[in-house]
Short mmCIF file of all heavy atoms in Angstrom, two decimals:
data_model
loop_
_atom_site.label_atom_id
_atom_site.label_comp_id
_atom_site.label_asym_id
_atom_site.label_seq_id
_atom_site.Cartn_x
_atom_site.Cartn_y
_atom_site.Cartn_z
N MET A 1 0.81 -1.16 -0.01
CA MET A 1 0.00 0.00 0.00
C MET A 1 0.88 1.25 -0.03
O MET A 1 1.76 1.41 0.83
CB MET A 1 -0.90 -0.02 1.25
CG MET A 1 -1.86 1.12 1.29
SD MET A 1 -2.95 0.92 2.71
CE MET A 1 -2.76 2.44 3.51
N GLN A 2 0.65 2.14 -0.94
CA GLN A 2 1.42 3.34 -1.01
C GLN A 2 0.73 4.54 -0.38
O GLN A 2 -0.49 4.69 -0.52
CB GLN A 2 1.74 3.65 -2.50
CG GLN A 2 2.72 2.72 -3.12
CD GLN A 2 3.23 3.27 -4.41
OE1 GLN A 2 2.64 4.11 -5.05
NE2 GLN A 2 4.31 2.69 -4.89
N SER A 3 1.51 5.35 0.34
CA SER A 3 1.00 6.57 0.89
C SER A 3 1.69 7.75 0.28
O SER A 3 2.61 7.59 -0.49
CB SER A 3 1.34 6.55 2.43
OG SER A 3 0.73 5.47 3.09
N GLN A 4 1.23 8.91 0.59
CA GLN A 4 1.91 10.11 0.10
C GLN A 4 2.64 10.78 1.19
O GLN A 4 2.12 10.88 2.32
CB GLN A 4 0.89 11.13 -0.47
CG GLN A 4 0.22 10.62 -1.77
CD GLN A 4 -0.72 11.67 -2.33
OE1 GLN A 4 -1.21 12.54 -1.64
NE2 GLN A 4 -0.94 11.59 -3.63
N PHE A 5 3.88 11.17 0.90
CA PHE A 5 4.77 11.80 1.89
C PHE A 5 5.22 13.16 1.36
O PHE A 5 5.47 13.29 0.14
CB PHE A 5 6.00 10.93 2.16
CG PHE A 5 5.69 9.67 2.90
CD1 PHE A 5 5.37 8.51 2.15
CD2 PHE A 5 5.70 9.63 4.26
CE1 PHE A 5 5.05 7.32 2.83
CE2 PHE A 5 5.39 8.43 4.89
CZ PHE A 5 5.12 7.28 4.19
N THR A 6 5.34 14.13 2.22
CA THR A 6 5.93 15.40 1.94
C THR A 6 7.38 15.35 2.34
O THR A 6 7.69 15.01 3.50
CB THR A 6 5.22 16.54 2.66
OG1 THR A 6 3.83 16.50 2.31
CG2 THR A 6 5.83 17.90 2.26
N VAL A 7 8.32 15.66 1.38
CA VAL A 7 9.73 15.63 1.68
C VAL A 7 10.23 17.07 1.59
O VAL A 7 10.08 17.73 0.54
CB VAL A 7 10.45 14.73 0.62
CG1 VAL A 7 11.96 14.68 0.95
CG2 VAL A 7 9.90 13.32 0.62
N GLY A 8 10.86 17.53 2.63
CA GLY A 8 11.42 18.86 2.64
C GLY A 8 12.87 18.77 2.15
O GLY A 8 13.61 17.89 2.61
N VAL A 9 13.26 19.63 1.23
CA VAL A 9 14.63 19.62 0.69
C VAL A 9 15.21 21.04 0.76
O VAL A 9 14.44 21.99 0.76
CB VAL A 9 14.66 19.09 -0.76
CG1 VAL A 9 14.19 17.68 -0.84
CG2 VAL A 9 13.83 19.93 -1.70
N CYS A 10 16.47 21.06 0.74
CA CYS A 10 17.22 22.35 0.68
C CYS A 10 18.22 22.21 -0.46
O CYS A 10 19.07 21.35 -0.50
CB CYS A 10 17.93 22.61 1.96
SG CYS A 10 18.72 24.18 2.03
N VAL A 11 18.07 23.11 -1.44
CA VAL A 11 18.96 23.12 -2.62
C VAL A 11 19.51 24.51 -2.75
O VAL A 11 18.72 25.49 -2.94
CB VAL A 11 18.25 22.71 -3.91
CG1 VAL A 11 19.20 22.72 -5.11
CG2 VAL A 11 17.60 21.34 -3.75
N ALA A 12 20.83 24.66 -2.72
CA ALA A 12 21.48 25.95 -2.87
C ALA A 12 20.93 27.00 -1.88
O ALA A 12 20.73 28.14 -2.23
CB ALA A 12 21.42 26.42 -4.28
N GLY A 13 20.68 26.57 -0.66
CA GLY A 13 20.18 27.51 0.38
C GLY A 13 18.72 27.81 0.34
O GLY A 13 18.24 28.63 1.10
N LYS A 14 17.97 27.21 -0.60
CA LYS A 14 16.57 27.46 -0.73
C LYS A 14 15.75 26.23 -0.32
O LYS A 14 16.09 25.15 -0.85
CB LYS A 14 16.17 27.91 -2.12
CG LYS A 14 16.69 29.25 -2.51
CD LYS A 14 16.00 29.73 -3.75
CE LYS A 14 16.26 31.21 -3.90
NZ LYS A 14 15.18 31.88 -4.49
N GLY A 15 14.79 26.39 0.53
CA GLY A 15 13.95 25.27 0.93
C GLY A 15 12.84 25.07 0.02
O GLY A 15 12.34 25.95 -0.66
N ASP A 16 12.38 23.82 -0.12
CA ASP A 16 11.25 23.44 -0.97
C ASP A 16 10.61 22.18 -0.43
O ASP A 16 11.18 21.51 0.42
CB ASP A 16 11.75 23.17 -2.40
CG ASP A 16 10.65 23.26 -3.41
OD1 ASP A 16 9.52 23.64 -3.07
OD2 ASP A 16 10.94 22.98 -4.58
N ARG A 17 9.38 21.91 -0.87
CA ARG A 17 8.65 20.74 -0.43
C ARG A 17 8.20 19.97 -1.64
O ARG A 17 7.78 20.51 -2.63
CB ARG A 17 7.39 21.13 0.31
CG ARG A 17 7.69 21.88 1.61
CD ARG A 17 6.43 22.54 2.18
NE ARG A 17 5.61 23.35 1.32
CZ ARG A 17 5.86 24.58 0.92
NH1 ARG A 17 6.99 25.15 1.36
NH2 ARG A 17 5.06 25.26 0.19
N ILE A 18 8.30 18.62 -1.61
CA ILE A 18 7.90 17.77 -2.72
C ILE A 18 7.03 16.61 -2.23
O ILE A 18 7.33 16.08 -1.14
CB ILE A 18 9.14 17.20 -3.42
CG1 ILE A 18 10.05 18.31 -3.92
CG2 ILE A 18 8.76 16.29 -4.57
CD1 ILE A 18 11.39 17.83 -4.43
N VAL A 19 5.96 16.30 -2.91
CA VAL A 19 5.10 15.21 -2.52
C VAL A 19 5.51 13.96 -3.33
O VAL A 19 5.71 14.04 -4.57
CB VAL A 19 3.65 15.51 -2.82
CG1 VAL A 19 2.74 14.31 -2.53
CG2 VAL A 19 3.17 16.66 -1.92
N VAL A 20 5.59 12.81 -2.67
CA VAL A 20 6.06 11.57 -3.26
C VAL A 20 5.17 10.46 -2.81
O VAL A 20 4.80 10.36 -1.64
CB VAL A 20 7.47 11.25 -2.86
CG1 VAL A 20 7.98 9.98 -3.51
CG2 VAL A 20 8.45 12.40 -3.20
N ARG A 21 4.80 9.56 -3.75
CA ARG A 21 4.09 8.31 -3.40
C ARG A 21 5.10 7.26 -3.09
O ARG A 21 6.00 7.01 -3.93
CB ARG A 21 3.19 7.90 -4.52
CG ARG A 21 1.95 8.65 -4.69
CD ARG A 21 1.10 8.00 -5.76
NE ARG A 21 -0.26 8.55 -5.60
CZ ARG A 21 -1.25 7.86 -5.04
NH1 ARG A 21 -1.11 6.63 -4.67
NH2 ARG A 21 -2.41 8.43 -4.92
N ALA A 22 5.02 6.64 -1.91
CA ALA A 22 6.00 5.59 -1.57
C ALA A 22 5.38 4.72 -0.48
O ALA A 22 4.38 5.05 0.16
CB ALA A 22 7.26 6.23 -1.10
N GLU A 23 5.99 3.57 -0.25
CA GLU A 23 5.57 2.64 0.79
C GLU A 23 5.90 3.13 2.19
O GLU A 23 5.12 2.96 3.12
CB GLU A 23 6.22 1.26 0.57
CG GLU A 23 5.73 0.53 -0.64
CD GLU A 23 6.38 1.01 -1.91
OE1 GLU A 23 7.49 1.64 -1.84
OE2 GLU A 23 5.85 0.78 -2.98
N ASP A 24 7.06 3.81 2.33
CA ASP A 24 7.39 4.41 3.67
C ASP A 24 8.24 5.63 3.49
O ASP A 24 8.62 6.01 2.35
CB ASP A 24 8.07 3.33 4.58
CG ASP A 24 9.34 2.82 4.03
OD1 ASP A 24 9.88 3.36 3.04
OD2 ASP A 24 9.91 1.90 4.64
N ALA A 25 8.61 6.29 4.55
CA ALA A 25 9.32 7.58 4.52
C ALA A 25 10.72 7.41 3.97
O ALA A 25 11.20 8.33 3.22
CB ALA A 25 9.38 8.15 5.90
N LEU A 26 11.40 6.34 4.27
CA LEU A 26 12.72 6.19 3.72
C LEU A 26 12.77 6.04 2.21
O LEU A 26 13.56 6.65 1.53
CB LEU A 26 13.39 4.92 4.36
CG LEU A 26 14.81 4.61 3.85
CD1 LEU A 26 15.78 5.76 4.14
CD2 LEU A 26 15.33 3.32 4.46
N ILE A 27 11.86 5.32 1.66
CA ILE A 27 11.74 5.18 0.15
C ILE A 27 11.43 6.55 -0.43
O ILE A 27 11.95 6.91 -1.47
CB ILE A 27 10.76 4.09 -0.15
CG1 ILE A 27 11.28 2.71 0.30
CG2 ILE A 27 10.53 4.04 -1.70
CD1 ILE A 27 10.31 1.64 0.15
N ALA A 28 10.56 7.30 0.22
CA ALA A 28 10.20 8.63 -0.29
C ALA A 28 11.39 9.52 -0.36
O ALA A 28 11.65 10.21 -1.37
CB ALA A 28 9.13 9.26 0.58
N ALA A 29 12.25 9.49 0.70
CA ALA A 29 13.44 10.35 0.72
C ALA A 29 14.43 9.87 -0.33
O ALA A 29 15.06 10.71 -1.00
CB ALA A 29 14.09 10.29 2.10
N LEU A 30 14.56 8.60 -0.55
CA LEU A 30 15.51 8.05 -1.53
C LEU A 30 15.08 8.41 -2.94
O LEU A 30 15.90 8.69 -3.82
CB LEU A 30 15.65 6.57 -1.34
CG LEU A 30 16.45 6.13 -0.11
CD1 LEU A 30 16.38 4.62 0.01
CD2 LEU A 30 17.81 6.65 -0.11
N LYS A 31 13.78 8.44 -3.21
CA LYS A 31 13.27 8.82 -4.51
C LYS A 31 13.60 10.28 -4.82
O LYS A 31 14.06 10.62 -5.97
CB LYS A 31 11.76 8.63 -4.59
CG LYS A 31 11.30 7.24 -4.79
CD LYS A 31 9.79 7.17 -4.95
CE LYS A 31 9.32 5.72 -5.21
NZ LYS A 31 7.90 5.69 -5.42
N VAL A 32 13.46 11.13 -3.87
CA VAL A 32 13.80 12.59 -4.08
C VAL A 32 15.29 12.73 -4.24
O VAL A 32 15.75 13.43 -5.10
CB VAL A 32 13.30 13.41 -2.87
CG1 VAL A 32 13.84 14.86 -2.97
CG2 VAL A 32 11.77 13.41 -2.85
N LYS A 33 16.11 12.04 -3.46
CA LYS A 33 17.57 12.13 -3.54
C LYS A 33 18.07 11.56 -4.88
O LYS A 33 19.01 12.09 -5.44
CB LYS A 33 18.16 11.32 -2.41
CG LYS A 33 19.64 11.57 -2.20
CD LYS A 33 19.91 13.01 -1.81
CE LYS A 33 21.39 13.15 -1.47
NZ LYS A 33 21.76 14.51 -1.09
N ALA A 34 17.38 10.58 -5.43
CA ALA A 34 17.78 10.03 -6.77
C ALA A 34 17.48 11.05 -7.85
O ALA A 34 18.30 11.15 -8.84
CB ALA A 34 17.01 8.73 -7.06
N GLU A 35 16.43 11.82 -7.73
CA GLU A 35 16.07 12.78 -8.75
C GLU A 35 16.89 14.05 -8.61
O GLU A 35 17.22 14.76 -9.60
CB GLU A 35 14.57 13.10 -8.77
CG GLU A 35 14.27 14.09 -9.84
CD GLU A 35 12.80 14.12 -10.22
OE1 GLU A 35 12.15 13.06 -10.38
OE2 GLU A 35 12.25 15.23 -10.29
N ARG A 36 17.16 14.43 -7.34
CA ARG A 36 17.93 15.70 -7.09
C ARG A 36 19.09 15.32 -6.18
O ARG A 36 19.05 15.57 -4.97
CB ARG A 36 17.00 16.72 -6.40
CG ARG A 36 15.85 17.03 -7.31
CD ARG A 36 14.94 18.03 -6.60
NE ARG A 36 13.82 18.28 -7.42
CZ ARG A 36 13.03 19.32 -7.23
NH1 ARG A 36 13.15 20.18 -6.23
NH2 ARG A 36 11.98 19.51 -8.06
N PRO A 37 20.21 14.84 -6.75
CA PRO A 37 21.36 14.44 -5.89
C PRO A 37 21.99 15.56 -5.08
O PRO A 37 22.57 15.29 -4.03
CB PRO A 37 22.36 13.90 -6.94
CG PRO A 37 21.64 13.82 -8.20
CD PRO A 37 20.42 14.60 -8.12
N ALA A 38 21.88 16.83 -5.55
CA ALA A 38 22.53 17.90 -4.79
C ALA A 38 21.67 18.39 -3.61
O ALA A 38 22.15 19.20 -2.79
CB ALA A 38 22.72 19.09 -5.74
N ALA A 39 20.45 17.90 -3.48
CA ALA A 39 19.52 18.29 -2.42
C ALA A 39 19.91 17.71 -1.09
O ALA A 39 20.36 16.59 -1.02
CB ALA A 39 18.11 17.94 -2.82
N THR A 40 19.65 18.47 -0.05
CA THR A 40 19.72 17.95 1.35
C THR A 40 18.31 17.73 1.84
O THR A 40 17.44 18.63 1.80
CB THR A 40 20.40 19.02 2.22
OG1 THR A 40 21.68 19.30 1.69
CG2 THR A 40 20.50 18.52 3.64
N ILE A 41 18.05 16.49 2.27
CA ILE A 41 16.71 16.15 2.81
C ILE A 41 16.62 16.74 4.27
O ILE A 41 17.44 16.39 5.09
CB ILE A 41 16.51 14.62 2.85
CG1 ILE A 41 16.77 14.01 1.47
CG2 ILE A 41 15.15 14.28 3.37
CD1 ILE A 41 15.83 14.47 0.36
N THR A 42 15.67 17.59 4.47
CA THR A 42 15.52 18.19 5.80
C THR A 42 14.44 17.46 6.68
O THR A 42 14.57 17.38 7.91
CB THR A 42 15.18 19.67 5.72
OG1 THR A 42 13.99 19.84 4.92
CG2 THR A 42 16.31 20.44 5.09
N TYR A 43 13.41 16.96 6.04
CA TYR A 43 12.36 16.22 6.79
C TYR A 43 11.53 15.36 5.86
O TYR A 43 11.51 15.63 4.64
CB TYR A 43 11.47 17.18 7.61
CG TYR A 43 10.60 18.07 6.78
CD1 TYR A 43 9.35 17.67 6.30
CD2 TYR A 43 11.03 19.38 6.42
CE1 TYR A 43 8.56 18.48 5.52
CE2 TYR A 43 10.25 20.18 5.68
CZ TYR A 43 9.00 19.73 5.22
OH TYR A 43 8.25 20.58 4.44
N VAL A 44 10.89 14.38 6.37
CA VAL A 44 9.88 13.56 5.67
C VAL A 44 8.69 13.32 6.59
O VAL A 44 8.88 12.94 7.75
CB VAL A 44 10.50 12.17 5.25
CG1 VAL A 44 9.44 11.33 4.51
CG2 VAL A 44 11.73 12.36 4.42
N ARG A 45 7.47 13.59 6.10
CA ARG A 45 6.31 13.34 6.91
C ARG A 45 5.16 12.94 5.98
O ARG A 45 5.20 13.18 4.76
CB ARG A 45 5.90 14.58 7.71
CG ARG A 45 5.59 15.80 6.86
CD ARG A 45 5.03 16.96 7.69
NE ARG A 45 4.91 18.15 6.98
CZ ARG A 45 3.89 18.40 6.15
NH1 ARG A 45 2.91 17.51 6.05
NH2 ARG A 45 3.82 19.53 5.47
N ARG A 46 4.14 12.35 6.59
CA ARG A 46 2.95 12.03 5.78
C ARG A 46 2.27 13.29 5.31
O ARG A 46 2.36 14.36 5.93
CB ARG A 46 1.96 11.23 6.64
CG ARG A 46 2.43 9.84 6.89
CD ARG A 46 1.25 9.00 7.39
NE ARG A 46 1.74 7.68 7.79
CZ ARG A 46 1.83 6.66 6.93
NH1 ARG A 46 1.46 6.79 5.69
NH2 ARG A 46 2.25 5.51 7.36
N LEU A 47 1.66 13.20 4.16
CA LEU A 47 0.98 14.32 3.57
C LEU A 47 -0.13 14.81 4.48
O LEU A 47 -0.97 13.97 4.94
CB LEU A 47 0.42 13.92 2.19
CG LEU A 47 -0.26 15.06 1.42
CD1 LEU A 47 0.75 16.13 0.98
CD2 LEU A 47 -0.95 14.47 0.17
N ASN A 48 -0.19 16.10 4.76
CA ASN A 48 -1.21 16.72 5.61
C ASN A 48 -2.07 17.54 4.69
O ASN A 48 -1.75 18.66 4.35
CB ASN A 48 -0.55 17.58 6.70
CG ASN A 48 -1.54 18.26 7.53
OD1 ASN A 48 -2.75 18.20 7.36
ND2 ASN A 48 -1.05 19.03 8.53
N ARG A 49 -3.20 17.01 4.23
CA ARG A 49 -4.04 17.64 3.26
C ARG A 49 -4.48 19.04 3.70
O ARG A 49 -4.49 20.01 2.90
CB ARG A 49 -5.24 16.79 2.89
CG ARG A 49 -4.82 15.52 2.24
CD ARG A 49 -5.97 14.81 1.62
NE ARG A 49 -5.60 13.49 1.27
CZ ARG A 49 -4.98 13.18 0.11
NH1 ARG A 49 -4.65 14.14 -0.69
NH2 ARG A 49 -4.64 11.94 -0.18
N ARG A 50 -4.91 19.23 4.92
CA ARG A 50 -5.41 20.49 5.40
C ARG A 50 -4.29 21.53 5.47
O ARG A 50 -4.48 22.63 4.94
CB ARG A 50 -6.04 20.35 6.75
CG ARG A 50 -6.64 21.65 7.23
CD ARG A 50 -7.42 21.37 8.54
NE ARG A 50 -7.98 22.67 8.99
CZ ARG A 50 -8.35 22.88 10.24
NH1 ARG A 50 -8.30 21.93 11.10
NH2 ARG A 50 -8.86 24.02 10.56
N GLY A 51 -3.16 21.19 6.02
CA GLY A 51 -2.09 22.15 6.13
C GLY A 51 -1.41 22.40 4.77
O GLY A 51 -0.93 23.54 4.53
N ASP A 52 -1.37 21.44 3.92
CA ASP A 52 -0.67 21.60 2.65
C ASP A 52 -1.51 22.34 1.64
O ASP A 52 -1.01 22.73 0.61
CB ASP A 52 -0.27 20.21 2.07
CG ASP A 52 0.83 19.59 2.89
OD1 ASP A 52 1.64 20.32 3.51
OD2 ASP A 52 0.94 18.35 2.89
N GLN A 53 -2.78 22.60 1.89
CA GLN A 53 -3.59 23.41 1.01
C GLN A 53 -3.16 24.90 1.09
O GLN A 53 -3.22 25.61 0.07
CB GLN A 53 -5.05 23.29 1.40
CG GLN A 53 -5.67 22.01 0.96
CD GLN A 53 -7.14 21.90 1.40
OE1 GLN A 53 -7.65 22.74 2.14
NE2 GLN A 53 -7.78 20.84 0.95
N ARG A 54 -2.67 25.31 2.23
CA ARG A 54 -2.20 26.70 2.36
C ARG A 54 -0.90 26.95 1.62
O ARG A 54 -0.67 27.98 1.08
CB ARG A 54 -2.11 27.03 3.81
CG ARG A 54 -3.39 27.06 4.57
CD ARG A 54 -3.14 27.48 5.98
NE ARG A 54 -4.42 27.34 6.73
CZ ARG A 54 -4.48 27.04 7.99
NH1 ARG A 54 -3.40 26.91 8.68
NH2 ARG A 54 -5.59 26.90 8.57
N HIS A 55 -0.01 25.96 1.70
CA HIS A 55 1.31 26.04 1.07
C HIS A 55 1.52 24.79 0.25
O HIS A 55 2.14 23.86 0.67
CB HIS A 55 2.43 26.15 2.16
CG HIS A 55 2.15 27.26 3.14
ND1 HIS A 55 2.40 28.51 2.85
CD2 HIS A 55 1.70 27.21 4.36
CE1 HIS A 55 2.07 29.29 3.89
NE2 HIS A 55 1.65 28.49 4.86
N PRO A 56 0.97 24.77 -0.99
CA PRO A 56 1.03 23.55 -1.78
C PRO A 56 2.46 23.19 -2.20
O PRO A 56 3.22 23.98 -2.68
CB PRO A 56 0.16 23.90 -3.02
CG PRO A 56 0.09 25.37 -3.09
CD PRO A 56 0.30 25.87 -1.70
N PRO A 57 2.75 21.89 -1.97
CA PRO A 57 4.10 21.39 -2.35
C PRO A 57 4.07 20.98 -3.82
O PRO A 57 3.04 20.90 -4.45
CB PRO A 57 4.29 20.19 -1.50
CG PRO A 57 2.93 19.72 -1.18
CD PRO A 57 2.04 20.91 -1.18
N HIS A 58 5.28 20.69 -4.35
CA HIS A 58 5.40 20.25 -5.76
C HIS A 58 5.30 18.75 -5.78
O HIS A 58 5.42 18.06 -4.77
CB HIS A 58 6.80 20.67 -6.32
CG HIS A 58 7.01 22.09 -6.20
ND1 HIS A 58 6.44 23.05 -6.98
CD2 HIS A 58 7.81 22.81 -5.35
CE1 HIS A 58 6.83 24.23 -6.68
NE2 HIS A 58 7.72 24.16 -5.64
N ARG A 59 5.10 18.18 -6.98
CA ARG A 59 5.06 16.74 -7.19
C ARG A 59 6.41 16.32 -7.75
O ARG A 59 7.05 17.05 -8.53
CB ARG A 59 3.95 16.33 -8.16
CG ARG A 59 2.58 16.67 -7.71
CD ARG A 59 2.07 15.60 -6.85
NE ARG A 59 0.79 15.99 -6.30
CZ ARG A 59 0.17 15.35 -5.35
NH1 ARG A 59 0.71 14.34 -4.78
NH2 ARG A 59 -1.00 15.77 -4.93
N LEU A 60 6.84 15.14 -7.36
CA LEU A 60 8.05 14.58 -7.94
C LEU A 60 7.78 14.08 -9.36
O LEU A 60 6.76 13.45 -9.54
CB LEU A 60 8.55 13.42 -7.03
CG LEU A 60 9.88 12.78 -7.41
CD1 LEU A 60 11.01 13.77 -7.22
CD2 LEU A 60 10.15 11.62 -6.61
N ASN A 61 8.63 14.35 -10.28
CA ASN A 61 8.47 13.84 -11.62
C ASN A 61 8.77 12.38 -11.68
O ASN A 61 9.93 11.94 -11.64
CB ASN A 61 9.37 14.56 -12.60
CG ASN A 61 9.04 16.03 -12.71
OD1 ASN A 61 7.88 16.42 -12.48
ND2 ASN A 61 10.02 16.87 -13.00
N GLU A 62 7.68 11.52 -11.75
CA GLU A 62 7.90 10.09 -11.73
C GLU A 62 7.72 9.58 -13.14
O GLU A 62 6.88 10.06 -13.88
CB GLU A 62 6.95 9.48 -10.75
CG GLU A 62 7.21 9.86 -9.32
CD GLU A 62 6.36 9.07 -8.33
OE1 GLU A 62 5.77 8.09 -8.76
OE2 GLU A 62 6.28 9.51 -7.18
N ALA A 63 8.43 8.55 -13.53
CA ALA A 63 8.38 8.03 -14.84
C ALA A 63 7.12 7.15 -15.06
O ALA A 63 6.83 6.76 -16.21
CB ALA A 63 9.62 7.16 -15.08
N ARG A 64 6.36 6.84 -14.06
CA ARG A 64 5.20 5.96 -14.19
C ARG A 64 4.07 6.67 -14.82
O ARG A 64 3.60 7.61 -14.65
CB ARG A 64 4.79 5.43 -12.83
CG ARG A 64 5.88 4.51 -12.28
CD ARG A 64 5.48 3.99 -10.95
NE ARG A 64 6.60 3.36 -10.33
CZ ARG A 64 6.58 2.76 -9.16
NH1 ARG A 64 5.47 2.76 -8.50
NH2 ARG A 64 7.61 2.19 -8.69
#
């Protein structure tokens, strides 16, 4: 069963949030790191629909 996770990243001193579908938080972080190797992962948490409506995160470009 896949869940959605919000992954916080820092690239060149700028913070960003990305939403990823994954089985668990570690896999979500690894998917982001594979697409953006220069990024620093700052946090991983389950998607919070109510809170994320105010500050919408980006989607990870997945090949599927």
